[in-house]
Amino acid sequence: MAQTPSSGSASPGPPARFAVFDHDLDAAWGELFGQARALAIDTEAMGLVHGRDRLCLVQICDDDDNVCCIRVARGQTQAPRLKALCENPAIEKVFHFARFDVAALAENLGIAVDPVFCTKVASRLARTYAPRHGLKDVVNELVGVELDKQAQSSDWGRVEELSDTQLAYAAGDVRWLLAARDRLEVMLRREERWELARRCFACVPVFSALDRQRFNQVFEH
């Protein structure tokens, strides 16, 4: 089922293409995203505790501003086309705070995301002059887009009845990640921190696995 959300104040206009799917991508969108060099991905869940708070929505965007949202049903444990994309070694998966999203996808759908780029980690390494590294601040500075975060704390569990405001918010959170990623790479290379950043990204699945098993302080003294 395809539909277009209201653009709201989160973006200068609607995406090039927008679709909402139940359970998984369809074959056409799976093939479309399978040709991408990188995909921006975000998730929405009932909360922040893995194993307690279920995954509700997965948003994806490519370089051509094609955006889709996948509604994840309660009790769903598989999404084969999404899994194929997330585990494709030729496609970089770009998240903001990848640690949470990678854990959520593994916990709920058995997806082992690889490779990963995290714009929050990249921002902390590159934007050392900045006190804030949230998605809104990173996108505002690097891409010049003001994100509307009003729907961030809302009931994502009502996946069959998500409002236009929720869908617009969900779309907005992934539409600018790839542009932010590219600008952060330029900064990291300029400051000679690119290789360090890549090593940090490679650690994300490990930290996500530790979070899922409640080993949050395993590196503490």
Side-chain angles (χ1 to χ4, degrees):
M1 178 183 71
Q3 60 191 93
T4 302
S6 306
S7 60
S9 60
S11 69
R17 294 174 64 191
F18 185 85
V20 179
F21 299 103
D22 290 318
H23 311 305
D24 202 356
L25 296 158
D26 69 7
W29 278 74
E31 182 178 356
L32 175 69
F33 285 152
Q35 301 170 11
R37 57 107 185 175
L39 293 171
I41 305 179
D42 188 30
T43 65
E44 306 299 339
M46 285 299 294
L48 301 178
V49 179
H50 302 298
R52 182 195 72 182
D53 299 321
R54 65 186 176 94
L55 179 66
C56 301
L57 197 72
V58 180
Q59 308 96 270
I60 309 175
C61 182
D62 65 10
D63 266 328
D64 295 320
D65 200 27
N66 298 306
V67 183
C68 81
C69 293
I70 303 168
R71 298 188 289 207
V72 180
R74 185 179 182 86
Q76 179 181 341
T77 59
Q78 296 182 16
R81 292 193 179 98
L82 176 62
K83 180 181 176 69
L85 287 174
C86 288
E87 296 183 357
N88 186 335
I91 303 174
E92 183 180 68
K93 274 65 68 173
V94 181
F95 303 86
H96 190 79
F97 194 46
R99 181 173 173 173
F100 176 83
D101 300 298
V102 169
L105 289 165
E107 181 74 22
N108 292 268
L109 298 175
I111 295 173
V113 182
D114 183 64
V116 171
F117 185 106
C118 179
T119 53
K120 186 160 194 170
V121 170
S123 176
R124 289 185 179 278
L125 290 172
R127 297 173 64 248
T128 47
Y129 54 82
R132 292 184 294 273
H133 302 276
L135 178 62
K136 184 173 183 177
D137 298 295
V138 171
V139 168
N140 190 19
E141 178 188 326
L142 299 182
V143 189
V145 172
E146 181 75 23
L147 293 180
D148 183 351
K149 305 295 284 184
Q150 293 184 46
Q152 183 173 23
S153 296
S154 59
D155 182 7
W156 294 100
R158 50 193 290 273
V159 291
E160 301 296 332
E161 304 171 350
L162 294 177
S163 67
D164 282 353
T165 299
Q166 287 175 300
L167 291 172
Y169 163 82
D173 264 11
V174 288
R175 289 183 66 193
W176 319 111
L177 271 181
L178 295 182
R181 175 245 180 269
D182 291 344
R183 286 160 177 76
L184 285 165
E185 180 180 347
V186 170
M187 296 174 71
L188 288 165
R189 288 185 181 278
R190 185 192 69 202
E191 300 304 316
E192 299 183 350
R193 298 169 190 165
W194 175 242
E195 290 305 318
L196 178 60
R198 291 182 63 191
R199 289 161 61 192
C200 289
F201 303 149
C203 293
V204 167
V206 176
F207 279 96
S208 295
L210 290 169
D211 289 343
R212 291 174 61 202
Q213 297 186 50
R214 308 292 190 272
F215 288 118
N216 307 77
Q217 298 180 330
V218 71
F219 284 102
E220 298 296 324
H221 187 279

